[in-house]
Amino acid sequence: MGLEDKIRKVVPYVPGEQPKESGVIKLNTNENPYPPSPLVREAMERLQADRFRLYPDPAASELVSELARTYGLDESQIFVGVGSDDVLAMCFLTFFNSDSSILFPDITYSFYDVWAELFRIPYEQIPLDENFRIRPEDYMRKCGGIVIANPNAPTGRLLPVPEIEKILKANPDCVVIVDEAYIDFGGESALPLISRYGNLVVVQTFSKSRSSAGLRIGYAMADPKLIRYLSDVKYSFNSYTMNMPSIKLGAAVLRDSAYTEKCIAKIIRTRENTAAALRKLGFILDDSCANFLFIRHPQIPAEELFRGLKERKIYVRWWNKPRISSYLRVTIGTDSEMEAFLSALRCLLTDRK
Ligand code: PMP
């Protein structure tokens, strides 16, 4: 066996581009177009650089206790990590440890199969139906675990909580992860079910509705027993995942829920106006419950629009993948960013005539 054969080789997840050029309208990674609450700036001024010589609190207690207060939970029901990517990766490592395949949709967050490959977890991708809907009955069979993004990405489609409950009921012997990265933009959270279902893990993030992708904060909420297993794995991997500024600033974000609500309301309004304008331009799209739209034009290839927009310094997301290559995923920005996006599309459509 040579050197090459002993090395773990993986095909990494490819995140959306983070362009270096200036003047870009960035609608490609579902960030929030609004800055975080002014309370975060104040908390930043209170940070003491002298304290950076110390390790941060491994339990991130200040953040966990604000999360507990925010959701009316006990601290033992919460686990935090470096973005929900870190939390989800820890969940895969902890909860998906059998020989049976875990299940997730064929069209979903494209990190799931990367973690499954990395951790050598067998998996099966279950096709969404022709309208990109999850059929709960497809998840009612023997398996090693289930992960569902709700609303799903990149479709923006929501699975109602009673449907999730059916999946939980049918799978008492395996963990069901519900990735609620986009839940605050119009969905009902499965969170209330954690007290009744010891197999449910709800994962959320500060990156979208809380305007803090740069702080890298995510969290899981579940029965204390599952949280303990998760913490044991995390402490066997890296005790100090959350850095001190993120713990403090994340707690400040949570102290201003009124501000967060206001930004969410603005984004939802902009989303609905943008959706209506896109339909007028001939685009086909379903209602979205997230901070993005998943759109296609019946005549114009998505790749052509993607490139045309990029030339105009407007970045959206396009995947050259089966079933979704005719779609663009467009993050909801400010009203003026979406106006610029729509007028660029109008130009691209006119140029083609
Ligand atoms: N889940 C889904 C469905 C996502 O789209 C994203 C964003 N890329 C994440 C999780 C991870 O977000 P973060 O690590 O920033 O919390």
Side-chain angles (χ1 to χ4, degrees):
M1 221 182 165
L3 175 93
E4 285 291 319
D5 305 309
K6 293 180 188 123
I7 294 171
R8 186 186 298 266
K9 294 189 180 122
V10 289
V11 181
Y13 169 74
V14 183
E17 247 179 289
Q18 296 293 345
K20 298 273 185 299
E21 59 175 341
S22 61
V24 162
I25 295 186
K26 201 171 167 302
L27 309 177
N28 67 336
T29 51
N30 298 341
E31 286 140 331
N32 196 308
Y34 302 108
S37 150
L39 291 193
V40 175
R41 204 162 315 141
E42 287 170 27
M44 234 164 108
E45 281 157 19
R46 285 196 302 274
L47 285 178
Q48 295 168 317
D50 290 0
R51 292 188 59 82
F52 292 171
R53 71 186 180 79
L54 302 171
Y55 284 110
D57 170 13
S61 309
E62 188 176 344
L63 184 60
V64 169
S65 105
E66 276 303 328
L67 279 167
R69 185 192 58 76
T70 303
Y71 291 101
L73 297 175
D74 191 80
E75 291 176 18
S76 62
Q77 295 171 292
I78 299 168
F79 172 89
V80 294
V82 186
S84 52
D85 282 340
D86 177 45
V87 174
L88 287 163
M90 287 293 125
C91 286
F92 271 55
L93 193 54
T94 311
F95 301 129
F96 299 156
N97 188 35
S98 82
D99 297 331
S100 306
S101 293
I102 62 163
L103 310 178
F104 50 86
D106 62 339
I107 301 166
T108 191
Y109 187 31
S110 44
F111 227 137
Y112 300 156
D113 54 328
V114 174
W115 288 314
E117 294 280 349
L118 176 63
F119 301 136
R120 302 192 178 141
I121 300 163
Y123 63 98
E124 197 178 321
Q125 291 165 292
I126 311 286
L128 295 177
D129 76 6
E130 63 284 3
N131 297 315
F132 289 160
R133 284 178 196 280
I134 289 169
R135 282 178 297 234
E137 49 290 6
D138 292 345
Y139 296 82
M140 295 178 185
R141 61 180 171 86
K142 184 177 172 290
C143 65
I146 292 168
V147 53
I148 284 173
N150 197 40
N152 198 9
T155 64
R157 280 194 168 274
L158 187 78
L159 189 65
V161 171
E163 306 288 290
I164 290 177
E165 188 164 6
K166 281 187 206 161
I167 295 174
L168 288 164
K169 254 194 198 139
N171 293 283
D173 297 333
C174 67
V175 169
V176 178
I177 300 172
V178 182
D179 175 357
E180 294 190 337
Y182 302 101
I183 197 70
D184 295 335
F185 299 103
E188 190 192 342
S189 173
L191 182 61
L193 299 181
I194 64 167
S195 54
R196 281 193 283 130
Y197 293 91
N199 58 335
L200 169 63
V201 179
V202 175
V203 177
Q204 294 190 7
T205 176
F206 277 47
S207 300
K208 317 294 178 185
S209 60
R210 293 199 162 96
S211 295
S212 307
L215 293 180
R216 308 303 298 126
I217 304 173
Y219 49 105
M221 299 174 284
D223 183 88
K225 192 161 99 177
L226 293 189
I227 296 294
R228 263 198 315 277
Y229 288 132
L230 203 46
S231 298
D232 288 346
V233 169
K234 170 227 152 105
Y235 286 123
S236 311
F237 193 79
N238 178 354
S239 314
Y240 306 109
T241 49
M242 305 285 302
N243 69 62
M244 192 189 296
S246 288
I247 294 171
K248 298 241 171 253
L249 304 182
V253 169
L254 293 169
R255 288 188 197 111
D256 200 352
S257 55
Y259 177 89
T260 300
E261 294 301 326
K262 217 168 60 195
C263 293
I264 292 171
K266 274 201 276 191
I267 290 167
I268 292 174
R269 212 162 37 235
T270 308
R271 178 185 73 201
E272 297 312 305
N273 292 339
T274 308
L278 285 165
R279 288 189 178 109
K280 266 195 203 141
L281 289 177
F283 282 87
I284 293 170
L285 58 151
D286 281 316
D287 291 337
S288 165
C289 290
N291 66 337
F292 54 81
L293 294 167
F294 197 50
I295 69 172
R296 80 184 163 86
H297 196 281
Q299 277 94 41
I300 312 176
E303 183 176 9
E304 183 181 320
L305 293 171
F306 169 75
R307 299 203 186 286
L309 287 165
K310 197 165 173 182
E311 274 166 25
R312 289 167 167 77
K313 289 194 169 191
I314 300 174
Y315 284 64
V316 298
R317 197 86 197 261
W318 170 71
W319 289 272
N320 190 9
K321 278 191 179 172
R323 293 188 80 187
I324 59 168
S325 60
S326 58
Y327 288 81
L328 294 176
R329 190 198 68 190
V330 183
T331 304
I332 302 301
T334 60
D335 282 331
S336 69
E337 286 175 327
M338 299 324 280
E339 219 17 84
F341 161 70
L342 289 165
S343 59
L345 282 181
R346 282 186 203 104
C347 291
L348 291 169
L349 298 185
T350 319
D351 287 355
R352 236 179 165 256
K353 281 186 187 142

